Amino acid sequence: MKDPTSDRVHMARAIRLAVLGLYTAEPNPRVGCVLVRDGEVVGEGWHQRTGGPHAERLALAMAGERARGATAFVSLEPCCHHGKTPPCTDGLIAAGVTRVVAAMRDPNPLVAGAGLARLRAQGIEVEVGLLEEEARRLNPGFIKRMEQGLPYVRCKLAASLDGRTAMASGESQWITSEAARRDAQFLRARSAAILTGVGTLLADDPALNVRLTAAELPGVAPDSQVHQPVRVVVDSRLRTPPTARLLTLPGRTLIACLDSESGRAAHLEAAGAQLLVTPPGPGGVDLAFLLRYLARQEINEVLIEAGATLAGAALQAVLVDEWVLYLAPHLMGDAGRGLCHLPGLELMRDRLPLVIRDVRMVGPDLRVTALPPGPRG
Ligand code: AOF
Ligand code: ZN
């Protein structure tokens, strides 16, 4: 018997299961599945890692014979293609599932509605769209990469309550609290790439790595290796020193530049960096070109951790999907440096509008998440 309230409860559970893949599923989407028969949950699963079983397969394995006549609640349309794993549609059909409720269609062109069509063709009752908004928020990067060939770009900034990131002298460490810096580590951990500018690199020599342990990341097996995002430095003239700290750490470092013919390039490559030459963009490296390259590398979510110059350039090129702003409870005065370098903004009508999605305290600091207005906001 269909009951809209319990349908929502089961889909909400599927979405909560999907969240367990937040730090491990990339480049695949985070997906959860709940199998329900006669009001009783008989199977559950979530997609843990690319190459591993899909959510539906795990739920079916748990349910066994009890999947016959059951309803499957899935946060994403079941796949119907042979990827690294066989089609979930075939598994659901073979197990005798009679109804499938998907929160959203799979934006992967290899699926894109064909999974739902295959289920319907087998006489399975199919519904799509339950808690769709919540399901879309699970996978902003996967969806944007599939639909636009670009990753989802989150820009993290830290400032005083009056929006300053450094004193006029340039002195800047540490503006926000230990708690805020730890919170930002979770943003790194869910990202497949961390992007910074050479200015920040020369000033701070950042590591740009995830320092949380597997045990601190929900859904990650405590004894497993924490995945390190690709570190990306925007450095048009290759000013990165080959001794930079990020080149000494495990994982991949990519330097986006305008010319890789110089002797400096050879030194950086010898130090383990990979160079990407981009066409010239407005302020140096063409950021859109770089992001399209990252999407082709199956990178879903990018975190920008940079100073005012790169943050401003990304903002002006309309490449940022989400701003995460940590504000510390002190004032740095009007001689301090601002958050975003935005030359050419003079009139009120030139302002760049944002919609605030979330505000919360992190230790003594404030965290504001804001999005550009539009369908996503
Ligand atoms: C599902 N359930 O849990 C996931 C799906 O290479 P594969 O076989 O892992 O397939 C990856 C694609 O499958 C991925 O791009 C997306 O379209 C879909 N992911 N589908 O039915 C899941 N993770
Ligand atoms: Zn599948």
Side-chain angles (χ1 to χ4, degrees):
M1 202 175 45
K2 275 198 267 180
D3 168 1
T5 307
S6 63
D7 279 5
R8 286 175 74 86
V9 169
H10 295 310
M11 186 60 86
R13 172 74 186 152
I15 288 172
R16 273 204 306 283
L17 289 166
V19 173
L20 293 170
L22 191 62
Y23 302 106
T24 54
E26 278 233 6
N28 269 1
R30 299 130 185 166
V31 183
C33 176
V34 176
L35 283 168
V36 180
R37 190 168 84 171
D38 300 328
E40 185 200 346
V41 174
V42 292
E44 287 189 341
W46 52 280
H47 185 57
Q48 194 170 359
R49 53 173 190 85
T50 297
H54 285 186
E56 299 90 319
R57 294 276 175 188
L58 293 168
L60 288 169
M62 182 173 162
E65 260 311 300
R66 291 179 302 167
R68 198 154 299 281
T71 297
F73 294 87
V74 206
S75 63
L76 186 75
E77 169 184 6
C79 67
C80 55
H81 69 302
H82 284 270
K84 295 186 179 72
T85 66
C88 288
T89 46
D90 296 3
L92 292 163
I93 293 163
V97 167
T98 49
R99 180 173 170 238
V100 172
V101 184
M104 62 177 284
R105 271 167 63 123
D106 185 345
N108 184 346
L110 294 171
V111 186
L116 300 174
R118 170 134 24 141
L119 295 168
R120 279 198 187 102
Q122 293 293 318
I124 293 176
E125 191 183 338
V126 173
E127 286 159 50
V128 64
L130 181 62
L131 300 188
E132 174 156 6
E133 181 66 30
E134 289 78 356
R136 293 186 75 85
R137 284 188 188 186
L138 285 169
N139 292 303
F142 178 77
I143 295 171
K144 192 170 172 210
R145 175 164 71 85
M146 289 294 160
E147 290 181 349
Q148 300 177 41
L150 281 167
Y152 184 85
V153 179
R154 203 175 264 118
C155 188
K156 182 223 116 179
L157 296 165
S160 61
L161 207 48
D162 54 346
R164 302 291 152 177
T165 59
M167 300 307 285
S169 64
E171 191 189 346
S172 66
Q173 283 179 329
W174 302 98
I175 293 177
T176 50
S177 64
E178 171 70 35
R181 298 203 301 277
R182 181 178 148 82
D183 189 71
Q185 279 282 318
F186 288 89
L187 296 179
R188 283 189 184 177
R190 66 173 293 170
S191 306
I194 317 279
L195 203 142
T196 197
V198 69
T200 302
L201 184 132
L202 292 173
D204 300 343
D205 197 16
L208 299 186
N209 60 352
V210 178
R211 291 187 287 274
L212 297 164
T213 63
E216 291 173 283
L217 293 166
V220 180
D223 52 353
S224 65
Q225 276 258 306
V226 173
H227 173 79
Q228 290 297 337
V230 180
R231 298 176 285 269
V232 184
V233 185
V234 174
D235 180 8
S236 29
R237 286 174 290 131
L238 290 183
R239 290 189 292 148
T240 301
T243 51
R245 179 145 68 122
L246 45 67
L247 289 169
T248 66
L249 299 167
R252 185 173 157 207
T253 301
L254 177 73
I255 304 181
C257 60
L258 293 178
D259 172 17
S260 64
E261 297 305 313
S262 67
R264 284 196 300 280
H267 282 125
L268 286 167
E269 281 175 331
Q274 182 200 337
L275 301 190
L276 173 76
V277 178
T278 81
V285 161
D286 182 336
L287 294 176
F289 180 96
L290 167 60
L291 290 171
R292 276 194 298 275
Y293 169 83
L294 294 177
R296 283 197 304 278
Q297 304 268 302
E298 298 194 305
I299 283 175
N300 290 340
E301 294 184 23
V302 172
L303 181 66
I304 301 185
E305 291 197 45
T309 311
L310 187 56
L315 176 58
Q316 287 202 312
V318 202
L319 293 170
V320 180
D321 299 291
E322 181 179 319
W323 296 87
V324 181
L325 180 54
Y326 295 93
L327 292 172
H330 50 236
L331 305 172
M332 289 170 72
D334 68 354
R337 298 187 184 172
L339 269 176
C340 259
H341 181 59
L342 295 172
L345 283 202
E346 279 169 21
L347 301 170
M348 287 297 268
R349 68 157 188 265
D350 300 330
R351 284 173 303 176
L352 296 157
L354 293 171
V355 175
I356 294 179
R357 173 184 278 182
D358 182 72
V359 180
R360 66 185 62 188
M361 298 290 299
V362 180
D365 302 327
L366 202 58
R367 188 185 76 191
V368 179
T369 306
L371 281 65
R376 288 165 310 175

